[in-house]
């Protein structure tokens, strides 16, 4: 039976070591005893395998309809994990307006000749097709894109990538499996920064890389262990706690984001609003100086990160996307005074009042 997200997130996951416990215990032990030296126990060393990571991976895999996945120490270590199996010089096609940290990692690899990288506008079918004419190992999707909230037709693009023989990955951090399931849209891999909405409480770092094919899960598991990219037991335990309320939080945050987008769209002090009508993220360009608005906000805090309980505003050009050179920002359409909002759990009326006052 296919269970719905709220049921998956809230279900107790009893551990065989603590029968009946509604909350799984934290397995802090770094190592486990062997019965004899020839019989490897299911859990032996915590970098390799840990019950808390396994429980979180299982819940995330069910949410994303994946065969399984790897829980990593951060979203970026999940991105690194996706790149590790590539041959040296393999071609990667990625969105020109991807998350700043993804841009930095891919560009860093390309600069040292580890990969052959092409950034493309994923919303331009002709440019995308042209990029795939050269043999490609991996196609990276991020939709809606961050910070411009551009929507890519993942199903159509993934089918083209597959036909060209490329592996596909989607960063689903912004929508979460409550709103989009990239594996069902034909992707091979789905990536999360669980630091964001999945944990939702802004108090840890984590990531996940999930795959549709069990053989690919096994391959990634090997690399994560080899490179030491797995996350901590404590973070996995706490992330599962945050995950319990994910579907509720997404409903509420999305409802508020929709209302805020409508308010900003109708405000004379705003030039453009980017809201894809789904999710808790939006961005906008004010007519007046952004610095003045930021200085006047009281409830909304100026900080990077997204998806948590607190509403945060940021200036992508100098904050989240500073790893992207100014020319690349201009190319991607990231204006210096573009503001990005991650809508949290405060009352929407209070958030709108804060924005209204700041916009004067
Ligand atoms: C934050 C973020 C990442 C990186 O995750 P970390 O947990 O900060 O390493 C990757 N992709 C997107 C879309 C993000 O917002």
């Amino acid at each position: 039976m296919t269970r719905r997200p709220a049921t998956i997130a809230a279900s107790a996951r009893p551990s065989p070591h603590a029968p009946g416990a509604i909350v799984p215990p934290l397995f802090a032990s770094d190592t486990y005893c062997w019965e004899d030296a020839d019989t490897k126990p299911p859990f032996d060393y915590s970098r390799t395998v840990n019950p808390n990571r396994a429980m979180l991976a299982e819940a995330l895999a069910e949410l994303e309809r994946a065969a399984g996945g790897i829980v990593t120490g951060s979203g970026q270590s999940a991105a690194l994990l996706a790149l590790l199996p590539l041959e040296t010089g393999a071609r990667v096609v990625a969105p020109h307006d991807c998350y700043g940290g993804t841009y930095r990692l891919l560009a860093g690899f390309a600069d040292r000749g580890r990969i052959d990288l092409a950034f493309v506008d994923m919303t331009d079918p002709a440019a995308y097709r042209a990029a795939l004419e050269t043999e490609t190992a991996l196609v990276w999707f991020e939709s809606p894109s961050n910070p411009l909230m551009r929507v890519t037709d993942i199903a159509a693009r993934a089918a083209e990538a597959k036909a060209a023989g490329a592996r596909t990955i989607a960063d689903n951090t912004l929508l979460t499996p409550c709103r989009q399931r990239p594996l069902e849209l034909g992707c091979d891999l789905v990536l999360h920064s669980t630091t964001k909405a999945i944990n939702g409480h802004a108090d840890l770092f984590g990531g996940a890389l999930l795959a549709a094919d069990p053989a690919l899960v096994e391959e990634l598991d090997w690399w994560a262990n080899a490179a030491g990219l797995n996350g901590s037991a404590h973070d996995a335990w706490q992330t599962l706690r945050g995950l319990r309320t994910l579907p509720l939080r997404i409903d509420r945050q999305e409802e508020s984001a929709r209302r805020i987008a409508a308010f900003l769209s109708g405000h004379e002090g705003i030039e453009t609003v980017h809201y894809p009508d789904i999710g808790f993220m939006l961005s906008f360009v004010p007519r007046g100086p952004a610095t003045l608005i930021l200085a006047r906000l009281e409830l909304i805090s100026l900080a990077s990160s997204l998806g948590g309980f607190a509403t945060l505003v940021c200036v992508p050009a100098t904050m989240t996307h500073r790893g992207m050179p100014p020319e690349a920002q201009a190319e991607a359409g990231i204006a210096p005074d573009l503001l990005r909002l991650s809508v949290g759990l405060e009352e929407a009326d209070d958030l709108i009042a804060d924005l209204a006052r700041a916009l004067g």
Side-chain angles (χ1 to χ4, degrees):
M1 187 186 75
T2 306
R3 307 196 300 163
R4 290 166 207 270
T7 306
I8 299 169
S11 290
R13 297 195 166 262
S15 153
H17 305 285
I22 293 289
V23 174
L26 169 60
F27 293 87
S29 183
D30 68 340
T31 194
Y32 294 80
C33 296
W34 294 46
E35 290 285 332
D36 63 75
D38 297 322
T39 318
K40 194 175 99 56
F43 296 96
D44 58 343
Y45 184 60
S46 203
R47 165 164 44 74
T48 316
V49 59
N50 169 273
N52 295 105
R53 276 205 311 272
M55 281 183 264
L56 177 60
E58 202 183 304
L60 293 175
E62 190 177 355
L63 284 164
E64 286 286 10
R65 317 260 164 94
I70 318 300
V71 168
T72 58
S74 68
Q76 285 311 103
S77 48
L80 177 60
L81 179 56
L83 299 178
L84 285 182
L86 297 177
E87 304 288 342
T88 302
R91 183 173 164 90
V92 178
V93 171
H96 71 324
D97 55 351
C98 62
Y99 170 69
T102 305
Y103 189 98
R104 185 189 290 127
L105 178 64
L106 292 173
F109 265 45
D111 284 350
R112 284 151 191 83
R114 293 196 180 112
I115 56 168
D116 168 28
L117 178 62
F119 284 120
V120 295
D121 179 351
M122 290 282 178
T123 61
D124 178 347
Y128 179 70
R129 223 152 282 154
L132 285 184
E133 274 167 19
T134 309
E135 191 187 333
T136 299
L138 183 69
V139 177
W140 201 287
F141 300 114
E142 192 185 324
S143 179
S145 70
N146 173 11
L148 288 161
M149 308 297 140
R150 292 196 184 106
V151 173
T152 297
D153 183 343
I154 293 181
R157 300 282 183 277
E160 285 177 76
K162 193 146 281 185
R167 183 179 278 180
T168 51
I169 178 170
D171 183 335
N172 201 26
T173 301
L174 260 61
L175 285 191
T176 83
C178 296
R179 289 294 180 274
Q180 174 169 271
R181 285 185 297 273
L183 302 183
E184 290 188 325
L185 300 175
C187 290
D188 300 300
L189 292 163
V190 59
L191 180 146
H192 282 284
S193 166
T194 56
T195 311
K196 313 293 170 54
I198 285 183
N199 178 54
H201 292 70
D203 51 8
L204 57 79
F205 266 90
L209 188 62
L210 305 133
D213 174 7
L216 188 47
V217 177
E218 212 168 296
E219 185 186 355
L220 295 169
D221 198 39
W222 187 90
W223 278 106
N225 180 50
L229 297 176
N230 286 320
S232 81
H234 187 272
D235 285 344
W237 179 82
Q238 203 171 347
T239 303
L240 187 60
R241 184 183 202 269
L243 182 73
R244 305 288 188 195
T245 55
L246 175 71
L248 275 177
R249 288 185 279 108
I250 295 297
D251 284 351
R252 170 67 180 257
Q253 288 171 244
E254 181 179 67
E255 191 187 312
S256 298
R258 193 170 284 138
R259 285 192 53 203
I260 291 168
F263 162 75
L264 291 173
S265 300
H267 197 286
E268 57 182 14
I270 300 294
E271 201 171 287
T272 29
V273 177
H274 306 281
Y275 181 61
D277 211 37
I278 189 169
F280 51 80
M281 298 286 294
L282 59 116
S283 58
F284 60 98
V285 179
R287 284 193 206 283
T291 44
L292 201 65
I293 296 165
L294 294 173
R296 286 188 190 147
L297 287 169
E298 288 172 11
L299 179 61
I300 299 171
S301 306
L302 178 65
S304 299
S305 200
L306 57 96
F309 62 89
T311 297
L312 303 178
V313 66
C314 84
V315 183
T318 58
M319 295 172 70
T320 51
H321 286 63
R322 66 179 181 278
M324 196 185 255
E327 321 82 69
Q329 288 193 10
E331 174 85 24
I334 301 170
D337 54 355
L338 178 79
L339 298 178
R340 190 191 80 181
L341 210 57
S342 171
V343 178
L345 292 171
E346 304 90 339
E347 278 292 337
D349 287 338
D350 294 337
L351 293 169
I352 290 170
D354 199 36
L355 286 163
R357 188 182 47 247
L359 288 166

